[in-house]
Amino acid sequence: AATSALGELVKANPIYAKDVLPTLLEAAKDKEWSVRDAATSALRELVKANPHPAFLPTLLEAAKDKEWSVRD
């Protein structure tokens, strides 16, 4: 829930992206698929607003995740 809320915060107020980004990148590596899913969803939203190479390694890893919802 917290990861989803961070994503919504950034979507509503992109100015918070630099503060939230480290947490989302870490959450994208979480052992729980639902946390990874929420983090990568939030990162996808950030990429739409601000394409930056810092997102690439994490999103490439997400594309190989065993859970389809994380890969989607």
Side-chain angles (χ1 to χ4, degrees):
T3 305
S4 294
L6 289 173
E8 291 300 316
L9 174 68
V10 170
K11 195 165 30 170
N13 299 295
I15 196 161
Y16 294 117
K18 67 180 171 104
D19 298 322
V20 172
L21 183 58
T23 302
L24 292 176
L25 291 173
E26 188 62 32
K29 301 174 193 171
D30 198 89
K31 64 180 180 176
E32 294 293 327
W33 73 267
S34 59
V35 174
R36 294 192 312 274
D37 182 40
T40 55
S41 292
L43 287 170
R44 280 193 298 270
E45 292 300 320
L46 284 174
V47 167
K48 289 178 190 175
N50 180 22
H52 192 280
F55 300 115
L56 191 57
T58 301
L59 293 174
L60 287 172
E61 280 302 309
K64 297 185 275 184
D65 199 277
K66 63 183 178 181
E67 295 293 332
W68 70 269
S69 63
V70 177
R71 292 190 309 267
D72 186 28

